[in-house]
Amino acid sequence: MKNIILYLCAIALMSLISCQVEREGCTDPSAINYDVLAELENNSCTFPNVLMRFVPMIDDSTQLSFGQDYIINGLNVRFDQIRFYVSDVNLVTSTENFASEETLLATEVNKLEEIGELKVGDLQEVKFNVGVDSVNNHADPALQPSDNPLSADSPDIQHWSWTAGYKFFLIEGAVDVNGDGEYEPDASETMSIHCGFDSNLKNIALAITEATAVDRLGFELDVSYDVKGIFEGYDLANQLFSRPNSNPEFATEIMNNVENIFKIR
Amino acid sequence: MSKIYSKFDKIYSNNIAKTVGFYPSFLLLFILAIAFTACRPDEAAQIQTPYSLQVPDGFTSPLIPDDNQLTFERIELGKKLFYDPVLSRDSTISCATCHLPSKAFADNLPISVGIQEREGFRNVPSLANVAWHPYFFREGGSPSLETQALGPIVDEVEMDITVAEAAARLRNDEDYIKMSKIAYDRQPNAYVISRSLAAFQRILVSGNSPYDQYTRGNQNALTTEQIRGKDLFFNQLQCATCHTGFNFTNYNFENTGLYENYEDEGRARLTADPNDIGKFKIPSLRNVALTPPYMHDGSLPSLESVLEHYNSGGSTHANKSLLIQALNLTAQQQSDLISFLESLTDETFINNPEYQ
């Protein structure tokens, strides 16, 4: 009996020692904490965090300031808000095809939003949707997690009632239609364009022109959008207001332009 | 309120008394059971008083979602919210501003008027028997009462407030906090607001009109005009092909030839299908005499004008239902039909103290 106990103790000791010999760590070379010496994967790998930001530009080099005057299509224009949902972010790199579950709401604050963890590699293509896919667009917003901008509990949610779903793209501001140098506070010069509807969901695909690496330090993806481009060929003087039951065709025009305004900075 | 708590206390303490008094060893089991069920979403329902919906003869049982089974506590909370203007930005408008109990939970305006006198864009429908509707709004864009409830709250021309802000207001109110906790085991939020409003609306059942009493055997419940009108409605005309079943609708979407050009495209707003232009959900006709004006835009001021519309066969429209044809009804037949529609008014429903 004693012998058996001794024998068991010996085995236990041996296995303990052997564990210490084999080095544990993260064995994935595309992780931040990749340990070249590690032989045993211990699931400790962490990957570079990808952050994304949408920046409004008034021309190639100037960022738009909300509350200021700009000339667009020959008219003085002031923007108070430009907000839109970005969903289904897909990043193709040399090491993976990454699909984010997060939906983000781009606002005038230009906040960096976390979209997930990517493996180290070279960025090749950026894809995303402006708007919300038809399933989410008609799902119950009270069942979305409360920290999601699609949640009815989020102060930022942009949602109509059920028929139209989410407001994909929203523009608020003023246009000096009569050219008297002032913005009339009434409907004649108030701009309020709310765009939605499944048919207006836009798939954006941006090719990478300059070599861009997702490295161990993480990764910030700055996407700029051209505010003047939103109104390309658009009759701003006469198309200030759009809702699903009031001039929805203006929203369609805007969304068709939105398809072409994004660029990687 | 106090009624709810005493019910709650009674059930709860009864349980404990039993377990402690008679089966001491089960106390542990009881505590464990609570601990386990605590993470189930509908656990709150177990310490509430179930409400069993009185379904009138001839009605089917409505489908009620698993996570929102009816309880007195949920209904009570939904009722309080339904009548509370706290759900509008300037605290002036409640659901009941547009859905008046005395008007079968509709109103008498052509187009609804919401916050700061802002004009909406459609006529308010009655909420009688909404528990049986398979979808909501006149184009059917909302699949459940739960999802529908948030619509008017955020609508700019109705209550115009974010749900987050409305919920924050409720979280400053002791009563709402307590009631939400009991009903849904959480603080007031979008889930609580949408679920409780749905629960309250599900109990709005109308099935005791003179017509119902007649079909249940009371020969005196209808007048001879009404009986003649009933025969026209069900047997001689096509009315009951569309306005069929115990709720007087098959819930299909139809174009009745109201216009050649529809400003409100109806179902096509949702589907973007040109074949759906001018199609609207067939409305229930229960309590219809209480809810003039009629049609999706309130454009027909009276039942007389609705019958004139059907009698003429309506305007020409590519999507108009083939069932809508000129009828050549006599004045007597038209007034018989109107008398019949008046027999669908349910006094028990509009005076039900449980709803107010």
Side-chain angles (χ1 to χ4, degrees), chain A residues 27-83:
Chain A
T27 59
D28 185 338
S30 64
I32 298 176
N33 57 341
Y34 169 53
D35 182 347
V36 232
L37 298 174
E39 289 164 302
L40 260 186
E41 176 60 57
N42 65 352
N43 295 326
S44 68
C45 296
T46 56
F47 295 92
N49 213 345
V50 176
L51 302 167
M52 202 168 178
R53 168 164 53 195
F54 286 83
V55 185
M57 304 296 285
I58 197 68
D59 56 48
D60 265 348
S61 55
T62 328
Q63 195 174 320
L64 177 105
S65 295
F66 288 89
Q68 280 192 14
D69 291 357
Y70 297 97
I71 295 178
I72 296 183
N73 298 353
L75 297 167
N76 253 322
V77 179
R78 185 195 75 216
F79 293 96
D80 299 331
Q81 282 188 358
I82 302 180
R83 298 179 161 216

Side-chain angles (χ1 to χ4, degrees), chain B residues 48-268:
Chain B
Q48 299 181 56
T49 320
Y51 178 98
S52 74
L53 196 64
Q54 296 303 312
V55 176
D57 283 353
F59 283 41
T60 56
S61 301
L63 286 177
I64 297 178
D66 283 344
D67 74 344
N68 201 18
Q69 292 296 309
L70 295 179
T71 67
F72 281 94
E73 292 78 0
R74 290 174 176 177
I75 292 162
E76 197 64 30
L77 174 57
K79 178 164 140 184
K80 187 167 156 74
L81 283 171
F82 191 88
Y83 290 100
D84 194 339
V86 69
L87 293 183
S88 63
R89 188 162 47 80
D90 59 6
S91 298
T92 56
I93 310 277
S94 72
C95 306
T97 306
C98 301
H99 298 284
L100 296 137
S102 60
K103 305 288 174 196
F105 292 90
D107 67 11
N108 288 144
L109 299 168
I111 300 285
S112 67
V113 173
I115 195 161
Q116 292 175 336
E117 307 291 312
R118 291 184 199 160
E119 180 154 291
F121 102 114
R122 281 188 178 156
N123 180 256
V124 181
S126 162
L127 301 182
N129 303 337
V130 281
W132 284 270
H133 289 9
Y135 27 68
F136 300 86
F137 294 133
R138 292 175 187 272
E139 66 274 82
S142 178
S144 72
L145 276 174
E146 275 76 7
T147 55
Q148 193 283 331
L150 299 178
I153 299 176
V154 302
D155 198 310
E156 296 168 289
V157 296
E158 294 188 0
M159 300 160 102
D160 193 30
I161 188 173
T162 66
V163 177
E165 201 181 329
R169 289 183 182 178
L170 304 183
R171 287 196 296 270
N172 277 328
D173 182 312
E174 283 304 319
D175 278 351
Y176 278 121
I177 293 172
K178 276 187 211 149
M179 293 172 85
S180 303
K181 181 79 188 140
I182 296 174
Y184 295 99
D185 195 32
R186 61 191 89 193
Q187 291 275 313
N189 65 4
Y191 186 90
V192 171
I193 295 172
S194 58
R195 268 61 194 170
S196 61
L197 281 169
F200 170 61
Q201 293 177 87
R202 284 203 175 91
I203 72 163
L204 305 176
V205 179
S206 174
N208 194 32
S209 64
Y211 159 79
D212 296 297
Q213 294 165 18
Y214 182 84
T215 54
R216 278 174 220 139
N218 177 356
Q219 300 292 321
N220 301 324
L222 295 186
T223 64
T224 33
E225 292 80 38
Q226 289 173 333
I227 293 170
R228 283 203 304 264
K230 176 173 167 292
D231 186 47
L232 281 165
F233 188 90
F234 284 107
N235 302 326
Q236 300 179 38
L237 303 172
Q238 294 293 347
C239 310
T241 311
C242 295
H243 297 285
T244 181
F246 62 84
N247 214 15
F248 291 83
T249 165
N250 58 15
Y251 303 103
N252 283 344
F253 300 91
E254 295 287 358
N255 178 316
T256 57
L258 203 55
Y259 300 110
E260 272 168 42
N261 284 306
Y262 278 84
E263 204 176 303
D264 179 347
E265 297 193 334
R267 178 94 175 139

Side-chain angles (χ1 to χ4, degrees), chain A residues 160-248:
Chain A
W160 280 294
S161 59
W162 268 75
T163 304
Y166 290 90
K167 305 177 191 183
F168 296 176
F169 203 100
L170 176 149
I171 306 167
E172 297 280 354
V175 178
D176 183 10
V177 177
N178 62 12
D180 68 352
E182 276 172 31
Y183 299 113
E184 314 306 330
D186 59 24
S188 70
E189 298 199 340
T190 303
M191 168 170 58
S192 179
I193 304 170
H194 296 184
C195 317
F197 276 110
D198 294 346
S199 54
N200 280 328
L201 182 74
K202 295 297 170 194
N203 313 118
I204 314 288
L206 302 175
I208 307 298
T209 44
E210 275 172 53
T212 314
V214 178
D215 61 25
R216 293 205 158 69
L217 297 175
F219 183 60
E220 275 183 28
L221 185 60
D222 269 355
V223 177
S224 67
Y225 62 94
D226 169 22
V227 173
K228 284 184 179 160
I230 301 174
F231 302 99
E232 184 85 42
Y234 185 87
D235 183 1
L236 248 181
N238 296 305
Q239 307 190 351
L240 290 177
F241 187 84
S242 175
R243 293 289 185 277
N245 42 20
S246 178
N247 314 317

